[in-house]
């Protein structure tokens, strides 16, 4: 049973067959939202951060939302492999009260991120000359710091309803904010699919932008007035960019996208909209790596880990399940390493759907 499945756009497929898989072919690395679904990708991240991209000298732009942003920030730390290991360990051992408030979850997430970044991580991530970290969060245009849960619910319901009609309606409610080291040089500085702005990523706003990127409404609190950005309350990057639908094809090189499923949904509200998929021309130069359905069926419960596990499983059982998934995920890395070393055949590449 193969654990790893590779999807590629037409331009990406042609290069893979011509050149094989090597780190210099990629101009960008992206990480989607998904919370603990990320655990099945830990092995891939550990290999990519600790082996594949080690010694890279050319700029690699990374882009992430929510847990994907947390992962991408690890790559720009002084010791990327150690940082991603800390994230896996701390996130899989997160423990809350029986009925945690958003304030409790936010406070623990903030401590976790500080521990993941470590003593030198804040400076390293915000100024890394090779790994350029891009973090997506969303400023609420209709949600202020004093908005009640009722108002939050009404705004989110309205956004979801109008989004089902047109994705562009999200701009009425949220402004995509991309925190990055050099906004003028970012490949995503001129996005026009939704209302967007780029803000300089600095040591003063790194941790708050990471926290905001994962601040799911009703689960965590929004992050107010991030330094260097517009005043307001910032929320989960996945609201606009759950799996991304951006013009990756405009990059000269390829885009590497470790993902936990085959389908790509643009935003958070699109998850249950069967007609809403990413525009495939955007993914012409994307290489998407994911676990096979057969592999996922052998994981605990026959599924990917997800946020429901925090409520469904007792702490000890949950940690056991999460740790097993993290350990099993190394099989994906072993298979990717073999492809890097031995080459890839046409039958091993599937189209992106």
């Amino acid at each position: 049973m193969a654990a790893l499945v590779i999807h590629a756009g037409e331009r990406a497929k042609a290069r893979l067959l011509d050149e094989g898989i090597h780190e210099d072919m990629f101009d960008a690395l992206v990480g989607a939202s998904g919370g603990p679904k990320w655990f099945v990708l830990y092995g891939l991240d550990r290999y990519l951060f600790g082996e594949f991209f080690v010694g890279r000298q050319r700029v690699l732009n990374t882009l992430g939302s929510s847990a994907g942003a947390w992962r991408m920030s690890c790559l720009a730390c002084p010791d990327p492999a150690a940082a991603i290991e800390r994230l896996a360990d701390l996130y899989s051992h997160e423990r809350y009260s029986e009925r945690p408030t958003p304030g409790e979850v936010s406070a623990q997430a903030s401590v976790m991120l500080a521990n993941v970044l470590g003593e030198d991580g804040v400076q390293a991530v915000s100024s890394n000359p090779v790994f350029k970290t891009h973090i997506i969060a969303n400023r609420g245009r209709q949600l202020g710091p004093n908005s009640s849960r009722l108002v939050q619910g009404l705004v989110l319901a309205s956004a979801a309803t109008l989004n089902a009609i047109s994705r562009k309606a999200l701009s009425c409610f949220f402004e995509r904010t991309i925190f990055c080291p050099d906004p003028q040089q970012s490949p995503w500085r001129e996005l026009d699919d939704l209302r967007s702005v780029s803000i300089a990523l600095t040591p003063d706003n790194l941790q708050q932008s990471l926290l905001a990127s994962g601040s799911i409404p009703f689960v965590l609190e929004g992050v107010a007035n991030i330094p260097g950005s517009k005043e307001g309350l910032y929320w989960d990057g996945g609201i606009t960019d759950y799996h991304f639908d951006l013009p990756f094809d405009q990059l000269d090189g390829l885009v590497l996208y470790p993902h936990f499923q085959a389908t790509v949904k643009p935003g958070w509200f699109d998850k249950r909209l069967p007609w809403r998929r990413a525009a495939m021309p955007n993914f012409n130069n994307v290489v998407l790596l994911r676990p096979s359905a057969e592999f996922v069926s052998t994981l605990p419960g026959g599924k990917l880990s997800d946020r429901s596990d925090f409520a469904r499983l007792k702490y000890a059982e949950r940690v056991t399940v999460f740790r097993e998934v993290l350990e099993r995920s190394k099989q994906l890395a072993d298979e990717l390493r073999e492809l890097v070393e031995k080459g890839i055949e046409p039958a091993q590449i599937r189209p992106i759907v």
Side-chain angles (χ1 to χ4, degrees):
M1 177 195 68
L4 179 68
V5 177
I6 297 181
H7 298 261
E10 286 302 312
R11 179 150 64 98
K13 180 179 179 180
R15 287 198 62 181
L16 289 177
L17 295 177
D18 182 53
E19 304 173 29
I21 304 173
H22 59 89
E23 64 86 13
D24 196 51
M25 70 196 318
F26 296 106
D27 278 357
L29 175 71
V30 299
S33 301
K37 291 178 181 177
W38 161 68
F39 292 154
V40 77
L41 302 177
Y42 161 72
L44 285 174
D45 284 354
R46 180 63 179 78
Y47 166 68
L48 293 172
F49 296 5
E51 296 181 47
F52 190 73
F53 286 118
V54 168
R56 182 172 174 114
Q57 298 181 353
R58 192 166 64 84
V59 168
L60 183 77
N61 288 290
T62 71
L63 177 69
S65 62
S66 196
W70 301 354
R71 294 163 52 207
M72 295 301 104
S73 70
C74 291
L75 179 57
C77 283
D79 186 340
I84 201 69
E85 287 173 359
R86 289 194 297 271
L87 177 59
D89 181 61
L90 293 169
Y91 196 3
S92 63
H93 283 89
E94 281 286 88
R95 188 170 192 168
Y96 309 108
S97 61
E98 187 173 343
R99 294 183 178 179
T101 64
E104 177 187 345
V105 179
S106 288
Q108 291 198 206
S110 182
V111 171
M112 180 186 71
L113 289 171
N115 288 329
V116 169
L117 293 170
E119 183 176 348
D120 302 320
V122 170
Q123 183 63 45
V125 174
S126 56
S127 61
N128 194 301
V130 174
F131 301 114
K132 302 288 189 179
T133 305
H134 292 66
I135 299 164
I136 296 181
N138 285 293
R139 184 177 67 88
R141 302 187 63 208
Q142 311 294 336
L143 291 173
N146 298 317
S147 298
S148 66
R149 288 176 66 87
L150 176 60
V151 171
Q152 289 182 31
L154 290 173
V155 169
L156 291 172
S158 298
T161 300
L162 292 178
N163 173 77
I165 300 171
S166 171
R167 179 165 151 78
K168 288 186 176 296
L170 288 176
S171 293
C172 298
F173 302 92
F174 298 98
E175 181 176 61
R176 174 198 284 137
T177 303
I178 305 177
F179 295 89
C180 55
D182 189 349
Q184 298 305 313
Q185 298 299 318
S186 168
W188 300 292
R189 63 187 177 275
E190 296 180 351
L191 297 178
D192 59 5
D193 60 319
L194 297 174
R195 186 185 182 103
S196 304
V197 63
S198 294
I199 300 294
L201 183 67
T202 69
D204 291 333
N205 63 24
L206 171 64
Q207 187 166 335
Q208 286 172 276
S209 62
L210 285 171
L211 181 61
S213 188
S215 292
I216 303 168
F218 298 114
V219 179
L220 287 84
E221 295 178 329
V223 178
N225 304 330
I226 298 175
S229 65
K230 297 180 182 179
E231 290 189 1
L233 205 58
Y234 288 78
W235 297 95
D236 184 63
I239 293 174
T240 54
D241 297 279
Y242 188 56
H243 297 163
F244 307 107
D245 187 14
L246 303 179
F248 295 129
D249 62 312
Q250 294 180 6
L251 295 173
D252 293 331
L254 302 186
V255 177
L256 185 58
Y257 186 1
H259 196 27
F260 42 78
Q261 65 186 49
T263 56
V264 180
K265 293 287 189 176
W268 189 35
F269 296 119
D270 301 323
K271 291 187 291 183
R272 294 178 176 82
L273 303 180
W275 62 88
R276 184 67 54 77
R277 297 285 183 92
M280 287 302 99
N282 286 340
F283 285 74
N284 189 38
N285 63 332
V286 172
V287 178
L288 186 148
L289 312 175
R290 69 167 175 92
S292 68
E294 294 78 12
F295 176 78
V296 171
S297 71
T298 69
L299 297 177
K303 70 175 190 67
L304 298 173
S305 302
D306 58 43
R307 286 193 299 108
S308 70
D309 293 334
F310 284 98
R312 186 176 61 86
L313 302 174
K314 297 294 185 181
Y315 178 72
E317 182 183 2
R318 184 173 73 245
V319 171
T320 298
V321 167
F322 287 171
R323 298 309 299 180
E324 180 178 346
V325 174
L326 290 168
E327 183 63 29
R328 293 279 311 284
S329 74
K330 295 175 183 177
Q331 185 177 341
L332 280 74
D334 291 339
E335 294 183 12
L336 178 59
R337 184 184 295 107
E338 183 174 1
L339 291 171
V340 170
E341 294 173 353
K342 297 182 178 180
I344 188 167
E345 300 296 330
Q348 295 173 295
I349 304 175
R350 303 183 189 182
I352 296 178
V353 295

